[in-house]
Amino acid sequence: MGKSVTVTAPGKVNLVLDITGRQPDGYHILDSVMQSISLSDTITVSCMDGRGIYSSCDQPRIPCDENNLVYKATRAFLDYFFLDPGCAISIDLQKRLPIEAGLGGGSTDAAAVLIALNVLLNVYTGLDTLCKIGEKVGADVPFCILGGTRRITDSGSTMHQMPPMPYCYLLIAKPEAGISTPQAFARYDALTSPARADTTPLLHGLYAADLKQICSGMHNVLEPVADVEDVFALKKMILAGGALGAVMSGSGSAVVGVFENRDLAKRCMRRTFSLAKSAFLCTPVSHGAIITK
Ligand code: C5P
């Protein structure tokens, strides 16, 4: 076994998500605040004897081929620097973030691989360059590299650091059915009068460190086009369980509820298992993908 680097890759939630237009490349222009969460994947990247890129995952449903974002991130990193690593790159994924959930699972794994390769191959380029490489791999990859609390004002590469979210507990519940991101955007485009969200109340809440105001500003314009009934049932259940606010994250299908009280959040989480395939209690974190070993 050669050198290896292990990275913690936090997921994200969208506290607010508005769509303000379309880019020439077809991607949607967002006005969204993303928040990193303590629920994370663990990725180990190693340099082994031989050549090529190999990946393995503890979840059989996740493809470990060239369609996986970790493979695309490795290729993008090596191509950007015209690098021959002189070894086989082996990537081991331990998944905790559910897929097709809107929690940035694939993007944060790609971000983790870029952070790992930067150190493993002694490149030590800046985070701005890693974000530039990452944006070609997936729209949310730059955010997952930097993490924290950030407002996005295009498809994902223009980010503005916001004041941190006040301490709270996040209950995340994911229905059995997932939602594909391209399909969610396509359904939004098919609407004759698509919904819009006012992001200012949430931004004001962040600047005032006022959790109640943040929660009253949580809104996602992709929520009405979610074709998974349990999204709405879970949101109702989480609000009835005492959350200050609840919203679908990104393109769904996970719902995030914000609680001040941990016991209340735990009690509510137990109830959500009647509808959710998976549910987690986590907290906001102020960092993106970081090396732990
Ligand atoms: O970049 P990523 O792989 O996350 O995006 C998946 C798909 O979601 C894109 O191919 C595009 O159809 C859609 N998308 C979009 N606008 C965004 C982000 C994603 O239309 N801002």
Side-chain angles (χ1 to χ4, degrees), residues 26-28 30 107 137-140 154-155 181-182 185:
Y27 267 66
H28 293 73
L30 310 181
S107 306
V137 180
D140 293 341
D154 59 8
S155 66
T181 304
F185 280 106

Side-chain angles (χ1 to χ4, degrees), residues 24-215:
D25 64 2
Y27 267 66
H28 293 73
I29 304 169
L30 310 181
D31 185 2
S32 182
V33 174
M34 291 208 228
Q35 173 63 55
S36 301
I37 57 175
S38 57
L39 183 66
S40 56
D41 291 342
T42 304
I43 287 96
T44 300
V45 184
S46 314
C47 241
M48 315 279 276
D49 287 343
R51 323 283 298 167
I53 303 166
Y54 304 91
S55 61
S56 59
C57 181
D58 60 357
Q59 286 201 19
R61 275 189 62 203
I62 295 178
C64 280
D65 54 19
E66 56 273 19
N67 293 315
N68 193 307
L69 287 192
V70 298
Y71 183 94
K72 290 184 181 169
T74 306
R75 267 269 59 93
F77 185 90
L78 297 177
D79 290 351
Y80 186 87
F81 294 106
F82 302 100
L83 257 180
D84 174 357
C87 64
I89 304 289
S90 164
I91 303 158
D92 180 56
L93 291 178
Q94 278 175 267
K95 289 293 300 177
R96 281 177 217 92
L97 291 158
I99 56 168
E100 294 203 321
L103 300 174
S107 306
T108 197
D109 296 345
V113 164
L114 295 177
I115 298 268
L117 290 173
N118 192 33
V119 170
L120 192 68
L121 303 179
N122 293 309
V123 176
Y124 293 105
T125 192
L127 290 173
D128 48 348
T129 304
L130 291 184
C131 286
K132 223 167 98 187
I133 302 169
E135 80 185 53
K136 293 192 203 90
V137 180
D140 293 341
V141 177
F143 172 79
C144 292
I145 290 170
L146 300 180
T149 311
R150 288 175 198 272
R151 182 183 184 189
I152 279 77
T153 50
D154 59 8
S155 66
S157 49
T158 305
M159 287 181 281
H160 315 272
Q161 186 167 12
M162 293 288 120
M165 192 172 182
Y167 200 83
C168 61
Y169 299 92
L170 303 174
L171 165 55
I172 291 172
K174 154 94 183 18
E176 169 85 46
I179 296 177
S180 124
T181 304
Q183 272 174 28
F185 280 106
R187 272 198 303 275
Y188 180 86
D189 292 337
L191 296 173
T192 41
S193 48
R196 290 291 310 274
D198 181 5
T199 56
T200 50
L202 186 126
L203 297 170
H204 198 114
L206 284 171
Y207 275 98
D210 181 337
L211 194 59
K212 287 197 177 76
Q213 185 170 358
I214 291 168
C215 290

